[in-house]
């Protein structure tokens, strides 16, 4: 596909369950980002992957959150023992060296997580 | 720290102008503007890097005042397609941005 692809688009889960959210960035984009958007809030930075460098995890809100990026492409955000406050839209974005110079991030449409 | 945007929402008629402000208590090195339509991905509008620099995207322009640590986005002769939520972001790294809470813009016929 031409854009950033995220799945699932919607996920409803019960409190305490684990969830995995997937992001497929634009082909060739070396940088990948996860953001969280809670209702009525701005985008909150979670984690950033750049090439083979160690990821910047400084935005992860707790140790229940983790993310990995396999083969420099697809990324999975995992939330363990979900809580109701984890309910939000999780957005993934990617950028290339070129777009990074212009500041442009390409966002996916997000995965809406609802924790009951 | 999260930039502060104002107003929270604005309703315009087609053809009217509006200004969205973004300010920060921390020094701003760059300001990034995005627009998000309901249910869609945020879309990049522009980035401003230098003090006083202005940029444009269609009839949307922006200014950046480093000394005042603020940026303003100008919607000129608004069109229906301008409806959406506008976010400003700031940060030292390109992708690791702190975004404001957003300004919802509704343009009516």
């Amino acid at each position: 596909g031409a854009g950033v692809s995220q799945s699932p688009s919607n996920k409803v889960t019960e409190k305490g369950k684990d969830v995995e959210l997937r992001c497929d960035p634009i082909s060739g984009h070396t940088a990948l980002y996860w953001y969280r958007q809670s209702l009525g809030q701005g985008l909150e930075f979670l984690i950033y992957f750049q090439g083979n460098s160690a990821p910047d995890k400084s935005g992860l809100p707790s140790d229940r959150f983790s993310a990995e990026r396999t083969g420099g492409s697809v990324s999975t955000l995992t939330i363990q023992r979900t809580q109701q406050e984890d309910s939000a839209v999780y957005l993934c974005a990617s950028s290339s060296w070129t777009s990074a110079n212009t500041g442009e991030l390409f966002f996916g449409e997000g995965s809406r997580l609802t924790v009951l | 720290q999260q930039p502060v945007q104002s107003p929270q929402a604005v309703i315009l008629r087609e053809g009217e102008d509006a200004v969205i402000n973004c300010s920060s208590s921390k020094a701003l090195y760059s300001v990034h503007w995005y627009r998000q339509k309901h249910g869609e991905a945020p879309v990049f509008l522009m980035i401003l890097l230098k003090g006083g620099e202005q940029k444009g995207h269609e009839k949307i322009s922006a200014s950046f005042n480093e000394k005042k640590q603020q940026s303003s986005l100008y919607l000129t002769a608004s069109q229906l397609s301008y409806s959406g939520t506008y976010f400003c972001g700031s940060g030292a790294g390109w992708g690791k941005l702190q975004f404001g809470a957003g300004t919802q813009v509704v343009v009516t016929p």
Side-chain angles (χ1 to χ4, degrees):
Chain A
V4 176
S5 177
Q6 292 189 244
S7 62
S9 54
N10 277 288
K11 175 73 175 178
V12 180
T13 190
E14 293 180 348
K15 179 181 172 181
K17 296 280 180 72
D18 298 351
V19 296
E20 287 189 349
L21 307 176
R22 175 189 168 106
C23 172
D24 202 342
I26 293 173
S27 177
H29 279 193
T30 57
L32 186 148
Y33 315 81
W34 283 98
Y35 280 83
R36 177 168 71 174
Q37 186 173 27
S38 302
L39 187 63
Q41 299 297 312
L43 289 73
E44 175 190 6
F45 168 79
L46 297 177
I47 188 169
Y48 160 50
F49 297 89
Q50 173 60 276
N52 295 321
S53 302
D56 180 341
K57 304 178 183 180
S58 59
L60 294 178
S62 78
D63 58 8
R64 297 185 295 106
F65 288 73
S66 62
E68 62 177 20
R69 188 179 185 190
T70 53
S73 180
V74 172
S75 176
T76 302
L77 177 68
T78 301
I79 308 173
Q80 296 179 311
R81 306 180 302 281
T82 52
Q83 304 293 313
Q84 287 183 331
E85 62 262 28
D86 298 336
S87 296
V89 176
Y90 290 83
L91 290 163
C92 176
S94 68
S95 69
S96 64
W97 284 113
T98 302
S99 65
N101 289 334
T102 63
E104 183 169 6
L105 300 182
F106 295 83
F107 281 90
E109 293 189 352
S111 292
R112 180 177 296 277
L113 174 66
T114 302
V115 182
L116 302 177
Chain B
Q1 191 159 353
Q2 185 181 33
V4 176
Q5 287 186 237
S6 64
Q8 287 185 320
V10 59
I11 299 175
L12 302 167
R13 292 201 173 209
E14 250 185 311
E16 291 183 339
D17 303 338
V19 180
I20 300 170
N21 296 305
C22 173
S23 63
S24 174
S25 58
K26 290 173 60 176
L28 292 174
Y29 299 100
S30 63
V31 178
H32 307 234
W33 286 97
Y34 283 79
R35 177 173 66 202
Q36 184 178 32
K37 294 182 181 288
H38 184 68
E40 298 182 8
V43 173
F44 175 77
L45 293 176
M46 65 191 79
I47 178 175
L48 299 104
L49 296 174
K50 297 179 182 178
E53 181 183 14
Q54 291 202 340
K55 282 201 171 181
H57 174 86
E58 301 170 343
K59 287 187 177 178
I60 300 173
S61 60
S63 63
F64 177 25
N65 188 318
E66 266 185 84
K67 289 184 178 178
K68 292 186 177 180
Q69 295 172 189
Q70 67 184 34
S71 176
S72 295
L73 189 73
Y74 305 95
L75 307 182
T76 305
S78 57
Q79 305 170 15
L80 295 176
S81 62
Y82 288 0
S83 292
T85 301
Y86 290 76
F87 294 97
C88 70
S90 66
W94 292 132
K96 185 180 174 182
L97 302 174
Q98 298 282 343
F99 282 95
T103 296
Q104 185 177 11
V105 173
V106 176
V107 181
T108 62

